[in-house]
Amino acid sequence: MKVMLVWLCGVLVAYWISPVSPVTEASTATQPTTTECPKETLDGYDWPSISAGTNTSHSGCPGVTLGTVYRFCRSDATWEVADYTRCVSPTLASLNTQTGNLDGSPSGYLHLAEDLQNASKPAKLVVSGDLLTAVTIMYALVEDSFLVTCNATSAVVMNFTEAVLISARQLLDNSYSSLWTETHQVSDVDAIFTFLEKLDSFYGDVLSCFSLVNITEYSLVTENLDVAIEVFQANTSEAFIFPSNSNSDANQATVPVAVFTEADTSGHTAACIVWYKSASSLLPSTDINARSAHQDGQINSDVVSVTLHPTQVQPFNEPITLRFSHHQAGNNPVCALLDVSLTSSSVWSDSECETVSTTSDVTTCNCHHATNFALLTTLNDDDTVLKVPLNAIMVTGVVISLLFLVATFVLLLYVNRSLESDWALVVKCFLLTYIIGQITFLSGINSTENQMICRFVGILLHYLYLSVFFWMLAQAVLLQLKIVHASATSATISHYCLLGWVTPLLVVASAAGLKHDQYGHDKYCWISIWNKVIYAFIGPAAFVILVTFVVTYSSVHGYFSIKKTDQKGAAEMGKLKHAFRAPMITLPLLMITWTLKAFAIELRSEALYAIFALTYIIQGMVIFVFYGVLDNQVQTLYRSKFGHNHKAVHDSSGRAWNDKVETNKTSPNNFRASSMTSFSSRASESFATNRNDSTASLSSSTARRLNFQKKTLVIPLKRPVPSPTPSQTQGTST
Ligand SMILES: *[C@@H]1O[C@H](CO)[C@@H](O)[C@H](O)[C@H]1NC(C)=O
Ligand SMILES: *[C@@H]1O[C@H](CO)[C@@H](O)[C@H](O)[C@H]1NC(C)=O
Ligand SMILES: *[C@@H]1O[C@H](CO)[C@@H](O)[C@H](O)[C@H]1NC(C)=O
Ligand SMILES: *[C@@H]1O[C@H](CO)[C@@H](O)[C@H](O)[C@H]1NC(C)=O
Ligand SMILES: *[C@@H]1O[C@H](CO)[C@@H](O)[C@H](O)[C@H]1NC(C)=O
């Protein structure tokens, strides 16, 4: 056994070390540092070798554009992409100079807006400098435009608004995504966020102007931008919904009347809802701008902008409701609002929105502010990289350990077909609970799609795992009662069932009753280790472990004190060592596996997954060996069937004594005698039904059962008990 433990430790240590060593080797083997970017040709430009951290340039922009192309050699001596942000087409350059002529006259704005609309049509912008120039012209148009004073006819206001919106739609076209990316890379990482924010303030100006010139509604539906504007009378009673006729799994924003607590001077309120259908693909990549991703994940929906007029008291009493259609199947949806001014690690803030409901396709949120919103989601993408291969390791570990558990259970069932000792029953209940727990774990841990099922699985796992610990306690209590106190019947199997199955039920029922929403995590159906409910598992489990150790220790102590006082009794009691060993070795292993499991699942560390899987397999093997193979009944059966050696024969014959002799000789205590008679008679019945078993096995099995009665055991052994001849002949003949 010691050899085996040393071997197990060795394997564990080896496993712990092996995945780490290649990593450290790789990190220490650093590349020789070069200080120059190599010469290279890109997009028809020859870039000379320059030193790290410096610039080089080419006068001569692509095609019709004018200006200078720059290229930067990063400090790690790698080339940045070529910087075309200072190249610009003559058309846009001339429009840009016209922005200086804007003097507040509506027609000037209108013409420039129409020109911009014309110049920004798809494929008209060729370099990132064009995009930046178009965006600059847009800013000039929308910042402090004539809409603020709104001294214009409704036709001009309408045409100007439309020209700006169509320009915006064109600039946000997916065909310009490479230009946006380049802009984010070399010029302004927040470019698109700033663009969205400027548009928001433009919508505010549009709303106030529409209210003044009595335009009551406007809508524009394009392939990547849907706009709806509505101006309400103060007495309106209908919520503003856009798109109003969408399917239940499509985008929809609802602005309830109750958010309008104030009207403007003309007694109007107004709202604008804009769905940006391409924005998420134009956002800067998280490599460039870590702030564009939230810690909770990537953007997984269209971006929606909600603007109210006049600016209402925020946070709203009644929230606006946003329904987002998912771009990709994903877990953990978080509704967030965009705030570029945030100094935190993300431009997205999830503090103002709450998730109302979520399915695999659509998530509904309530938000108490008016701004840009999107759904952030931990995508399955992420999971396929991290979760599935790790799950394969884990599942292999759990399945192998499960096979060991089932094998142990079947083995015990086979040797105990009808005759039941309390010990065998308790062990079987323990194994059964553990097997059910493992099957539940395997089949249910990742059923995160349905929150109710996930929650149920979480609660069930909590119960079953806790129950396993309580069955360990039941084993310790049983050993204590039978061996130290020798009171076999003071606790019946129903008492053990009460301890093993009902006590954890009470714990879990109260925990689940109080905090049922804490079960079922977004990534797996179990309790998060960062969650307080985990203490409803750790607490009772720790208590049970402590009690089990104390009880087992006192049993062992009791066992050794018997040894001192009564050599012969102890010799016979030696057989019970296995019963001690099983829980004493399994319990620490259970603790280790479950601690590892909790951390492996939470931290998704590959090394932890592997160690966890390995300890699971070891645990299964240990249970198989100590509860199965080394079980006295199994050993006895084995010896009786295959025991050719003298020891086996001697063992079985030596301890085989007649039921009658024994009951006659060993009954100073009526209570024990009767209990023993019942044992013996049950034993006889059982083996009578099974003629294949040898008499030797019968006798020794009976004897083993009687081992639990330490005082009664002592007496028959004071003198050699005559073995029944048939058993001996049987034993030797087999
Ligand atoms: C590259 O050179 C241009 C022009 O001299 C300068 O404006 C720019 O900041 C430089 N870029 C870097 C990254 O040094
Ligand atoms: C749009 O551009 C075309 C040429 O590309 C020009 O013929 C047309 O007049 C322009 N329209 C406006 C409104 O500027
Ligand atoms: C509005 O515009 C007209 C001409 O279009 C001008 O006469 C008038 O003074 C302007 N009013 C204001 C308040 O700017
Ligand atoms: C507004 O646009 C429509 C069609 O696009 C046009 O007929 C009308 O003349 C324009 N009005 C003004 C004031 O530009
Ligand atoms: C709101 O008031 C306007 C007059 O100010 C009236 O014409 C309209 O019918 C009213 N609407 C409702 C829903 O009461």
Side-chain angles (χ1 to χ4, degrees), residues 443-651:
S443 54
I445 189 74
N446 277 332
S447 54
T448 44
E449 287 80 29
N450 187 321
Q451 205 176 14
M452 286 314 291
I453 292 176
C454 192
R455 226 167 248 180
F456 177 73
V457 169
I459 293 170
L460 196 65
L461 281 178
H462 185 186
Y463 168 69
L464 288 169
Y465 284 169
L466 207 52
S467 177
V468 168
F469 277 107
F470 274 94
W471 276 110
M472 295 295 293
L473 179 63
Q475 291 169 31
V477 169
L478 184 141
L479 288 175
Q480 170 81 3
L481 289 180
K482 294 232 165 175
I483 294 161
V484 178
H485 299 293
S487 52
T489 50
S490 65
T492 63
I493 189 66
S494 59
H495 288 116
Y496 296 120
C497 286
L498 214 61
L499 180 64
W501 280 330
V502 179
T503 324
L505 188 67
L506 297 178
V507 174
V508 175
S510 48
L514 286 174
K515 297 255 178 199
H516 67 93
D517 54 325
Q518 306 286 308
Y519 288 90
H521 200 258
D522 41 339
K523 294 182 200 109
Y524 51 85
C525 303
W526 171 232
I527 318 167
S528 166
I529 54 167
W530 314 120
N531 194 315
K532 284 191 187 113
V533 174
I534 194 72
Y535 296 116
F537 177 71
I538 293 174
F543 171 76
V544 167
I545 290 164
L546 195 72
V547 172
T548 307
F549 270 121
V550 168
V551 168
T552 316
Y553 173 79
S554 94
S555 303
V556 173
H557 190 260
Y559 163 73
F560 280 114
S561 48
I562 293 166
K563 199 170 190 172
K564 276 177 206 143
T565 56
D566 191 341
Q567 292 293 325
K568 282 173 188 167
E572 200 50 40
M573 294 280 290
K575 277 284 150 196
L576 281 170
K577 269 194 292 191
H578 305 304
F580 281 126
R581 275 197 301 217
M584 283 299 266
I585 288 170
T586 312
L587 194 60
L589 270 173
L590 280 185
M591 284 162 58
I592 293 169
T593 39
W594 274 327
T595 313
L596 272 176
K597 176 151 81 181
F599 280 94
I601 288 177
E602 193 71 40
L603 304 176
R604 294 165 151 228
S605 144
E606 200 155 347
L608 273 181
Y609 264 68
I611 294 167
F612 156 65
L614 193 79
T615 50
Y616 241 138
I617 297 172
I618 291 167
Q619 190 200 63
M621 273 162 44
V622 164
I623 287 179
F624 180 69
V625 169
F626 286 95
Y627 284 100
V629 175
L630 293 181
D631 183 86
N632 278 348
Q633 276 171 298
V634 176
Q635 292 271 302
T636 311
L637 182 72
Y638 176 82
R639 285 194 193 124
S640 70
K641 287 219 159 179
F642 310 104
H644 295 282
N645 59 14
H646 283 293
K647 186 179 182 285
V649 175
H650 176 78
D651 270 11

Side-chain angles (χ1 to χ4, degrees), residues 53-57 68 70-73 80 83 86 186:
T54 61
N55 247 335
T56 181
S57 64
T68 309
Y70 289 87
R71 199 145 186 228
F72 182 63
C73 179
E80 181 65 86
D83 175 1
R86 272 162 285 197
V186 299

Side-chain angles (χ1 to χ4, degrees), residues 585-723:
I585 288 170
T586 312
L587 194 60
L589 270 173
L590 280 185
M591 284 162 58
I592 293 169
T593 39
W594 274 327
T595 313
L596 272 176
K597 176 151 81 181
F599 280 94
I601 288 177
E602 193 71 40
L603 304 176
R604 294 165 151 228
S605 144
E606 200 155 347
L608 273 181
Y609 264 68
I611 294 167
F612 156 65
L614 193 79
T615 50
Y616 241 138
I617 297 172
I618 291 167
Q619 190 200 63
M621 273 162 44
V622 164
I623 287 179
F624 180 69
V625 169
F626 286 95
Y627 284 100
V629 175
L630 293 181
D631 183 86
N632 278 348
Q633 276 171 298
V634 176
Q635 292 271 302
T636 311
L637 182 72
Y638 176 82
R639 285 194 193 124
S640 70
K641 287 219 159 179
F642 310 104
H644 295 282
N645 59 14
H646 283 293
K647 186 179 182 285
V649 175
H650 176 78
D651 270 11
S652 49
S653 59
R655 273 182 287 108
W657 62 79
N658 190 298
D659 287 359
K660 277 179 195 157
V661 171
E662 183 192 294
T663 29
N664 288 342
K665 281 176 182 167
T666 67
S667 47
N669 183 331
N670 281 337
F671 152 69
R672 269 183 211 143
S674 67
S675 93
M676 219 156 47
T677 317
S678 83
F679 257 127
S680 308
S681 58
R682 274 198 284 150
S684 315
E685 277 164 35
S686 129
F687 282 95
T689 59
N690 177 21
R691 285 289 159 210
N692 291 337
D693 285 330
S694 68
T695 320
S697 133
L698 179 151
S699 311
S700 68
S701 171
T702 314
R704 197 201 51 74
R705 266 158 231 297
L706 293 167
N707 287 355
F708 286 122
Q709 329 273 323
K710 70 169 188 207
K711 281 170 191 163
T712 55
L713 284 170
V714 173
I715 297 162
L717 286 170
K718 278 187 173 157
R719 50 199 150 113
V721 178
S723 325

